[in-house]
Amino acid sequence: MEALKQKIREEGIVLSDQVLKVDAFLNHQIDPRLMQQVGHEFAERFRSQGITKIVTIEASGIAPAVMAGLELGVPVIFARKYQSLTLKDNLYISKVFSFTKQSESTIAISAKHLTAADHVLVIDDFLANGHAAKALLDLIGQAGASVAGLGIVIEKSFQEGRGLLESEGYRVEALARVASLTDGQVTFLD
């Protein structure tokens, strides 16, 4: 997706050979027009898959997931960090380690929103080592729901996430595949 790559080139900040900061348009301040294009692209790639729900993780996956949900006409569920007083009964629960935050979080989805009848598209802002994706897939598995695939806004292709997910049979669609962040420069795979 060329508009996304251009935005990364213009406003992304390479903090290290492992970390790309995109808070100017994706995970702090949000560019709604770009997210609308992102949602449209995910919808186009997965439209024929019979998706009934989109699942993401709070907070950075919400904007692209909502835009894709709008395009596909399906509800969006975001896995919440499990500190909520209102989210406490009949939950699917998993743990996820964040490389960027260097911490582990417990995430949860209410069982009333996700069932075995659902066919799910997972959407997230980044794919690196695959930890967040695996935690979301665990929640979906607990519900007995099926997975259409994973839509990733930015993939760090030099890390193991895609290989891990594809080796387990999951379809992974990334809109911008970063080959390298070496020397402060973003290099795309395709």
Side-chain angles (χ1 to χ4, degrees):
M1 190 178 150
E2 198 50 47
L4 174 61
K5 290 178 188 175
Q6 190 59 36
K7 193 69 138 174
I8 293 168
R9 285 184 200 103
E10 292 171 0
E11 297 184 34
I13 300 168
V14 177
L15 296 179
S16 73
D17 63 352
Q18 300 290 310
V19 180
L20 173 62
K21 184 175 178 179
V22 292
D23 69 340
F25 60 91
L26 179 58
N27 56 21
H28 188 50
Q29 176 173 271
I30 296 169
D31 179 332
R33 281 206 171 84
L34 180 63
M35 288 306 104
Q36 188 175 34
Q37 292 172 343
V38 163
H40 177 76
E41 185 63 28
F42 283 138
E44 287 302 304
R45 293 183 187 204
F46 289 97
R47 193 173 305 281
S48 66
Q49 301 301 303
I51 292 161
T52 62
K53 300 271 174 72
I54 293 174
V55 170
T56 191
I57 193 166
E58 74 175 343
S60 300
I62 295 173
V66 166
M67 293 301 187
L70 186 62
E71 283 273 338
L72 291 170
V74 299
V76 175
I77 304 167
F78 63 91
R80 296 183 62 182
K81 306 277 180 7
Y82 185 58
Q83 300 102 293
S84 173
L85 295 174
T86 62
L87 187 69
K88 58 184 180 175
D89 296 320
N90 200 16
L91 304 175
Y92 305 122
I93 296 172
S94 192
K95 294 198 178 290
V96 60
F97 179 78
S98 169
F99 172 81
T100 310
K101 296 176 185 160
Q102 287 296 299
S103 65
E104 185 175 75
S105 296
T106 301
I107 59 171
I109 289 178
S110 172
K112 73 179 181 179
H113 298 306
L114 189 63
T115 71
D118 286 311
H119 191 53
V120 179
L121 171 59
V122 174
I123 291 186
D124 206 3
D125 62 338
F126 272 95
L127 174 60
N129 294 310
H131 295 151
K134 291 290 288 176
L136 291 172
L137 291 167
D138 179 45
L139 295 175
I140 294 163
Q142 289 176 49
S146 58
V147 177
L150 295 95
I152 305 299
V153 180
I154 302 169
E155 175 191 332
K156 293 190 223 170
S157 298
F158 54 89
Q159 292 181 306
E160 65 190 7
R162 176 183 282 267
L164 175 73
L165 296 168
E166 287 182 338
S167 73
E168 294 181 14
Y170 294 106
R171 175 182 172 191
V172 178
E173 292 283 340
L175 303 185
R177 298 185 68 195
V178 176
S180 169
L181 297 172
T182 304
D183 298 326
Q185 297 297 312
V186 179
T187 306
F188 294 103
L189 199 59
D190 46 14

